RNA sequence: GGGCGAAUAGCUCAGCUGGUUAGAGCACCUGCCUUACAAGCAGGGGGUCACAGGUUCGAGUCCUGUUUCGCCCA
């Protein structure tokens, strides 16, 4: 078999993707007897186009999947889509130009299903074009009936375990999305604002407070000063009058009032921020909620009813001014809490919401997280810090349409909750009748369906359960579950790959569900990737300019293998910038693999592993170098460090195998005179083994070109269908050869010196040499001497001799003790 | 304000538990058509490893502090 002159990724990559799929190479249970390695793949949120950051983290995880498959595991590698909830709703609202509230629940849900389906089809095409070794038969969508059933089942289980409660509680509220949100969905933003100095009245005198939220004056329920603040000592416990609204509020002490800020007096409203809530709870203050769920002022703000918060602020500032109650204003920039999905400033509200109690089991959750192997290790600290700092139970209700419904009804008379039975799941209580006719507690007939839907994380946190088909008739739980010898506990799955920004959400919630629902840890290993930085965050490139294309265009232009190589070009967990030059290295490697294999396969045409062979010292050197590289690459992959592996294998391939070994062994491989057949067979053996090993170890990163080469020569000889289900290299012990390793490295130093001479004299590497003189001590020469014929071959020298004294014409080499002089024969 | 990370060649990044002269790719310079590869090969220039201290026989690596940047949180 002779390899074509050039490798064409544009033709080969789609061809292999199709072939793999048809042959079911990546199918789960293709080798049912092998131990299972299960992956809790991140289901991408269907909220818009895929970006290059997705490529980055998915490839990194996928490379690890390929590694374990070659290590002989029965890899369970599913793919899901997260298409329920707010992100998808917002996508639909944006694309269709509608508001959920306007079109109604049923029509809106239909639009969501249609649009997300279209996106998912596009996504699948894209991920296939990247060569992901996913089993596409194993997939789910978080809105499909099974996912809804498992998600509702998880809720019911928590309910029965006493973990669920409904409470009128201060809630983070997004006035734009009209829904309660979780702490995890809040992020900071720097907003411009104004600090207003407002006069309250006490005993006929002004009391000045500073606030950025004058529209919350009607919601004011107290004033606070710091206990050490002498200025207000005399007035503590008295009641001040709120301007414009004339209700009275107590003046109290609390450590959290900052004496340095403004006048040292601060107003407490229900609710402006989390400090207000803390005060409200600790001091048992009144509740005055002044706006409704659409963000409009209500009857508690007489004169401002119906106004939005912003308008109300403007009007109140005007009124304060005209009433002489505004004593100063100062523009400031401060950080505010915004909803991460829409960027709107968060408000606080009191509403009836469903919660999962978690604050009492923080320690258990931290302990469970501690049993997971986090790569990189420091990511566990982020997880722990997040859990330690939790201040709220998990608010799981959302006042939206498109998502998983709560499987329950409430008695209108007494509030008793009626749960759906497991046989009813998935259930939408707004269309299905409850399992009982009347309230089991009070007997009333008016059972009201829960209209809220669950937070998307309620379902996303079930991904291990979706994969395992938790408490379904075809549950895989028993097959997947495994214990760790050291850590004891049972784990549901092996690997959770995800990016670092959602440790506090996805990883955290999944661990919560694992612990509460099943009493297990969801996975043994968490592999946390960084982000690909989009060009607008990178510096402006002078040369070519930044990449501004969609990922599919990048793959089209750069090839899937080069894109994958790029995604593996730095350490796990770190972010990297996307620049066009970043893809060159991968493209070069693909070409080099092809060319080197083309040569090797030509020389290996008559390779016979059973023919008598004799390994030269340089062959042993190559195999020793290979064994060394393979050991290190394997360890790296085991720790999810794909880059560490590439960094070891590629130099071995390029430098040891191509630049040196092949050059040195060429004449033997050609069967030139002076070499016997056994010696040629020895070289063939070393070449065959190391090239096949290199292809295998690079196969996870560049699966297409390695498969192409493998299929054209190795597949038949090795008796395997695909390199991707072939076995991972395990060099035999005898390849580890310290003597050959050291001696070979010394010989390479001589070659380096010889090349330096030729380069300095600006002649071709093929230029003949008369005598090649090696200056070194006797001991070193003893080690180099066995390579005399190789040195002669690669230098094109007539003879190689040892001297003890180096003259001026000798050049230095990498090894300080060795100097080299070469007598060039130039016509 | 707290936590985590980063700062190494012009650019993008490696550098494991401290150990010869700090590496790679791109870019740059000088050459070479060598029976796999010019999409290549050989050679070369370029770094006070952010700054200041400390521990050590020895520090890019460990400790303390400072500065700048990123992420997460308050």
């Amino acid at each position: 078999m002779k390899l074509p002159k050039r490798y064409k990724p544009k033709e080969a990559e789609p061809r292999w993707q199709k072939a793999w799929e048809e042959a079911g190479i990546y199918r789960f249970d293709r080798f049912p007897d092998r131990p299972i390695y299960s992956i809790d793949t991140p289901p991408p949120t269907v909220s818009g186009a895929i970006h290059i950051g997705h490529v980055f983290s998915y490839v990194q995880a996928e490379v690890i999947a390929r590694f374990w498959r070659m290590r002989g595991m029965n890899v369970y590698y599913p793919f899901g889509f997260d298409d329920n909830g707010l992100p998808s709703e917002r996508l639909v609202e944006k694309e269709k130009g509608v508001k959920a509230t306007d079109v109604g629940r049923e029509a809106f849900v239909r639009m969501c299903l249609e649009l997300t389906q279209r996106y998912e089809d596009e996504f699948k095409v894209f991920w296939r074009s990247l060569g992901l070794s996913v089993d596409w038969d194993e997939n789910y969508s978080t809105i499909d009936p099974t996912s809804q059933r498992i998600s509702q089942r998880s809720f019911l289980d928590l309910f029965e375990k006493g973990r669920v409660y409904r409470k009128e509680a201060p809630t983070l509220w997004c006035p734009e999305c009209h829904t309660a949100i979780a702490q995890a969905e809040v992020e900071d933003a720097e907003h411009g604002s104004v600090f207003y100095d407002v006069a309250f009245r006490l005993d006929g005198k002004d009391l000045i407070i500073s606030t950025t939220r004058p529209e919350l004056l009607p919601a004011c329920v107290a004033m606070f000063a710091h206990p050490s603040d002498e200025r207000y000592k005399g007035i503590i416990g008295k009641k001040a009058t709120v301007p414009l609204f004339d209700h009275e509020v107590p003046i109290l002490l609390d450590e959290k009032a900052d004496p340095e800020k403004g006048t040292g007096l601060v107003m407490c409203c229900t609710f402006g921020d989390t400090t207000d809530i803390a005060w409200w709870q600790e001091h048992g203050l009144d509740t005055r909620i002044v706006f409704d769920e659409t963000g409009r002022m209500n009857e508690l703000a007489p004169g401002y009813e119906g106004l939005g918060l912003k308008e109300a602020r403007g009007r109140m500032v005007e009124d304060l001014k005209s009433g002489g109650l505004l004593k100063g204003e100062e523009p400031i920039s401060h950080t505010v809490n915004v909803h991460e999905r829409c960027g709107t400033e968060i408000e606080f509200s009191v509403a009836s919401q469903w919660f999962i109690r978690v604050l009492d089991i923080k320690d258990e959750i931290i302990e469970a997280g501690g049993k997971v192997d986090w790569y990189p290790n420091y990511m566990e600290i982020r997880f722990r810090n997040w859990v330690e700092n939790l201040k709220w139970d998990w608010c799981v209700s959302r006042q939206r349409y498109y998502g998983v419904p709560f499987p329950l009804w409430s008695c209108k008379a007494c509030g008793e909750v009626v749960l759906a039975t497991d046989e009813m799941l998935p259930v939408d209580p707004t269309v299905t009748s409850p399992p009982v006719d009347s309230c089991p507690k009070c007997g009333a007939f008016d059972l009201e369906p829960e209209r809220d839907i669950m937070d998307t994380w309620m379902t996303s946190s079930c991904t291990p359960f979706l994969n395992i088909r938790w408490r379904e008739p075809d549950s895989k739980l028993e097959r997947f579950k495994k214990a760790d010898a050291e850590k004891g506990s049972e784990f549901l799955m092996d690997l959770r790959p995800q990016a670092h920004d959602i440790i506090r959400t996805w990883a955290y919630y999944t661990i919560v569900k694992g612990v509460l629902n099943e009493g297990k840890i969801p996975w043994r290993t968490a592999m946390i990737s960084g982000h690909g930085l989009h060009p607008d965050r990178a510096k402006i490139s002078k040369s070519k300019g930044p990449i501004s294309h969609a990922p599919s265009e990048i793959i089209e232009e750069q090839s899937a293998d080069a894109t994958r190589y790029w995604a593996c070009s730095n350490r796990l967990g770190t972010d990297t910038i996307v620049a066009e030059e970043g893809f060159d290295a991968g493209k070069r490697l693909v070409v080099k693999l092809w060319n080197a294999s083309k040569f090797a396969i030509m020389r290996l045409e008559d390779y016979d592993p059973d023919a008598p062979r004799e390994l030269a010292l340089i062959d042993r050197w190559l195999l020793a170098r290979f064994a060394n590289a393979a050991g290190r690459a394997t360890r790296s992959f085991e720790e999810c460090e794909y880059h560490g592996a590439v960094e070891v294998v590629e130099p071995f391939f390029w430098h040891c195998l191509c630049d040196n070994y092949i050059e040195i062994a060429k004449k033997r491989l050609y069967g030139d005179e002076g070499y016997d057949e056994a010696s040629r067979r020895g070289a063939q053996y070393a070449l065959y083994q190391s090239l096949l090993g290199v292809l295998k170890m690079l196969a996870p990163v560049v699966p297409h070109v390695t498969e192409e080469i493998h299929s054209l020569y190795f597949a038949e000889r090795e008796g395997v269908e695909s390199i991707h289900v072939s076995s991972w290299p395990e060099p035999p012990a005898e390849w580890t050869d310290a003597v050959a390793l050291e001696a070979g490295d010394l010989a390479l130093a001589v070659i380096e010196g010889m090349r330096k001479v030729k380069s300095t004299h600006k002649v071709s590497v093929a230029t003949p040499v008369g005598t090649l003189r090696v200056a070194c001590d006797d001991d070193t020469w003893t080690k180099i001497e066995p390579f005399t014929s190789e040195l002669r071959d690669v230098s094109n020298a007539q003879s190689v001799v040892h001297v003890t004294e180096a003259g001026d014409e000798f050049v230095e080499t990498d090894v300080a003790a060795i100097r080299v002089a070469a007598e060039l024969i130039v016509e």
Side-chain angles (χ1 to χ4, degrees), chain A residues 225-230 233 236 252-257 259:
Chain A
H226 195 270
S228 69
D229 199 330
E230 299 291 332
K233 252 194 165 151
I236 300 306
L252 305 169
L253 291 176
D254 195 284
E255 303 276 342
K256 286 193 280 290

Side-chain angles (χ1 to χ4, degrees), chain A residues 423-698:
Chain A
E423 300 75 51
M424 295 170 74
L425 307 182
V427 67
D428 180 348
T430 63
V431 299
T432 305
S433 305
V436 293
D437 295 333
S438 59
C439 173
K441 194 174 169 191
C442 73
F445 287 95
D446 208 353
L447 294 175
E448 199 173 29
E450 177 59 60
R451 294 185 183 278
D452 285 359
I453 55 166
M454 294 196 237
D455 173 17
T456 42
W457 292 113
M458 267 300 270
T459 310
S460 310
S461 57
C462 289
T463 53
F465 294 163
L466 302 183
N467 287 316
I468 277 171
R469 304 186 65 79
W470 186 60
R471 300 191 186 169
E472 292 283 298
D474 58 348
S475 167
K476 300 190 184 91
L477 178 64
E478 289 310 315
R479 279 194 76 194
F480 277 34
K481 209 167 59 177
K482 52 197 72 182
D484 187 283
E486 283 167 31
K487 298 178 180 172
S489 308
E490 282 175 329
F491 298 86
L492 300 177
M493 298 185 78
D494 289 285
L495 178 69
R496 154 63 68 87
Q498 63 163 77
H500 57 63
D501 55 339
I502 51 173
I503 290 175
R504 72 201 164 96
T505 50
W506 196 34
Y508 161 67
Y509 287 134
T510 310
I511 291 174
V512 167
K513 284 289 188 81
V515 168
L516 288 181
N517 281 134
E518 194 56 33
K520 304 274 186 290
I521 294 155
W523 359 259
R524 257 207 280 229
T525 302
M527 174 183 180
I528 310 294
S529 61
H531 294 295
L533 295 184
H534 215 258
D536 48 4
R537 287 190 52 209
K539 282 171 219 132
I540 299 136
S541 163
K542 321 115 224 173
S543 50
K544 289 180 169 181
I547 291 176
S548 55
H549 319 301
S552 53
E553 290 169 20
I554 292 175
I555 294 172
E556 175 72 19
E557 276 165 34
Q558 311 289 345
S559 85
D561 279 349
T563 306
R564 296 170 59 99
Y565 182 93
W566 163 78
C568 293
S569 66
N570 68 358
R571 280 190 61 180
L572 177 65
T574 59
D575 301 337
T576 213
I577 292 167
V578 188
E580 279 181 44
E581 304 84 62
F583 296 92
D584 291 347
K587 283 197 263 189
R588 271 180 78 233
L589 176 65
V590 167
V591 171
K592 188 73 178 180
L593 280 170
W594 184 259
N595 288 329
S597 302
K598 191 166 62 182
F599 170 82
I601 289 168
M602 235 153 57
R603 296 294 116 210
L604 290 170
E605 215 153 353
D606 66 338
Y607 173 64
D608 177 359
D610 301 323
R613 62 171 174 258
E614 193 184 324
L615 290 183
L617 195 54
I618 195 71
D619 302 331
R620 286 164 50 200
W621 169 81
L622 181 72
L623 295 174
R625 279 260 157 256
F626 175 83
N628 186 297
R632 289 165 63 193
T634 304
R635 277 195 300 280
S636 288
F637 273 127
E638 282 171 349
E639 293 174 0
C640 303
E641 282 292 356
Y642 45 83
H643 183 256
V646 171
E647 212 178 25
V648 166
V649 178
E650 187 176 345
F652 166 78
F653 163 66
W654 210 300
H655 187 246
C656 298
L657 181 57
C658 295
D659 294 344
N660 286 302
Y661 180 79
I662 288 181
E663 292 307 322
I664 293 167
K666 242 174 192 173
K667 294 202 173 180
R668 262 198 304 150
L669 287 162
Y670 280 129
D672 282 5
E673 56 181 311
Y675 294 105
D676 61 27
E677 185 63 3
S679 154
R680 183 174 75 91
R681 296 279 181 196
Q684 280 187 321
Y685 175 78
L687 180 62
Y688 182 99
Q689 295 295 344
S690 55
L691 178 63
L692 176 59
V694 163
L695 291 173
K696 284 180 172 184
M697 291 194 289
L698 290 175

Side-chain angles (χ1 to χ4, degrees), chain A residues 54 108 135 160 166 171 242 268 345 377 437 440 456 468 541 595 770:
Chain A
H54 288 112
F108 189 69
D135 182 347
E160 277 151 18
R166 180 167 45 179
T171 315
V242 178
C268 168
E345 261 188 72
N377 297 138
D437 295 333
T456 42
I468 277 171
S541 163
N595 288 329

Side-chain angles (χ1 to χ4, degrees), chain A residues 183-228:
Chain A
Q183 188 181 347
E185 292 173 277
V186 177
E187 60 185 27
D188 287 353
E190 191 79 11
H191 280 195
S193 185
V194 180
F195 228 18
Y196 297 99
D197 296 333
V198 179
F200 283 52
R201 297 291 287 179
L202 175 70
D203 300 337
K205 277 182 272 180
D206 281 349
L207 273 180
I208 311 295
I209 59 106
S210 299
T211 181
T212 56
R213 303 289 308 271
E215 73 277 14
L216 289 179
L217 279 169
C220 182
V221 290
M223 299 175 88
F224 282 96
H226 195 270
S228 69

Side-chain angles (χ1 to χ4, degrees), chain A residues 14-259:
Chain A
R15 172 160 50 77
W16 278 114
Q17 287 154 17
K18 193 160 166 259
W20 292 329
E21 189 130 355
E22 282 169 6
I25 297 293
Y26 308 125
R27 201 183 304 132
F28 175 56
D29 270 344
R30 177 188 173 92
F31 303 100
D33 297 335
R34 294 183 178 182
I36 290 172
Y37 188 84
S38 54
I39 302 171
D40 186 19
T41 320
T45 309
V46 183
S47 60
I50 295 170
H51 57 81
I52 191 72
H54 288 112
V55 172
F56 194 64
S57 56
Y58 276 84
V59 166
Q60 291 169 0
E62 197 262 352
V63 163
I64 301 304
R66 287 183 178 274
F67 166 73
W68 287 108
R69 191 179 292 114
M70 292 175 77
R71 283 291 290 275
M73 306 299 275
N74 178 10
V75 173
Y76 175 78
Y77 190 17
F79 205 91
F81 291 100
D82 189 10
D83 48 11
N84 96 52
L86 207 44
S88 296
E89 285 194 23
R90 296 201 64 82
L91 174 71
V92 172
E93 289 185 337
K94 203 172 136 211
E95 286 224 348
K96 304 263 186 182
V98 298
K99 282 254 168 197
T101 39
D102 298 339
V103 296
R105 182 175 182 132
E106 201 185 327
F108 189 69
V109 168
R110 204 169 49 240
M111 289 165 102
C112 289
L113 286 170
E114 270 167 28
L115 193 73
T116 52
Q117 187 58 49
R118 216 181 65 216
Y119 269 93
E120 284 163 30
D121 292 342
E122 275 175 36
F123 280 19
K124 279 182 196 165
V125 170
F126 172 76
W127 292 117
R128 283 190 167 103
S129 76
L130 200 50
L132 289 199
S133 63
V134 160
D135 182 347
W136 291 101
D137 290 338
E138 300 285 345
N139 57 41
Y140 60 84
S141 118
T142 52
I143 200 70
D144 72 29
T146 308
S147 300
Q148 295 209 31
R149 182 164 61 242
I150 290 173
S151 179
Q152 290 183 329
R153 178 178 293 145
S154 157
F155 175 85
L156 291 176
D157 184 65
L158 293 176
F159 198 105
E160 277 151 18
K161 287 174 172 153
R163 283 280 151 200
V164 177
Y165 66 91
R166 180 167 45 179
K167 193 178 148 196
E168 293 275 330
T171 315
L172 296 160
W173 182 270
C174 175
E176 167 70 20
C177 301
H178 297 179
T179 186
I181 57 175
Q183 188 181 347
E185 292 173 277
V186 177
E187 60 185 27
D188 287 353
E190 191 79 11
H191 280 195
S193 185
V194 180
F195 228 18
Y196 297 99
D197 296 333
V198 179
F200 283 52
R201 297 291 287 179
L202 175 70
D203 300 337
K205 277 182 272 180
D206 281 349
L207 273 180
I208 311 295
I209 59 106
S210 299
T211 181
T212 56
R213 303 289 308 271
E215 73 277 14
L216 289 179
L217 279 169
C220 182
V221 290
M223 299 175 88
F224 282 96
H226 195 270
S228 69
D229 199 330
E230 299 291 332
R231 289 172 292 182
Y232 303 108
K233 252 194 165 151
I235 59 169
I236 300 306
K238 294 189 171 178
K239 288 198 168 183
T241 308
V242 178
L244 297 183
F245 299 96
D246 292 334
H247 60 282
E248 292 198 325
V249 295
I251 301 163
L252 305 169
L253 291 176
D254 195 284
E255 303 276 342
K256 286 193 280 290
D258 184 355

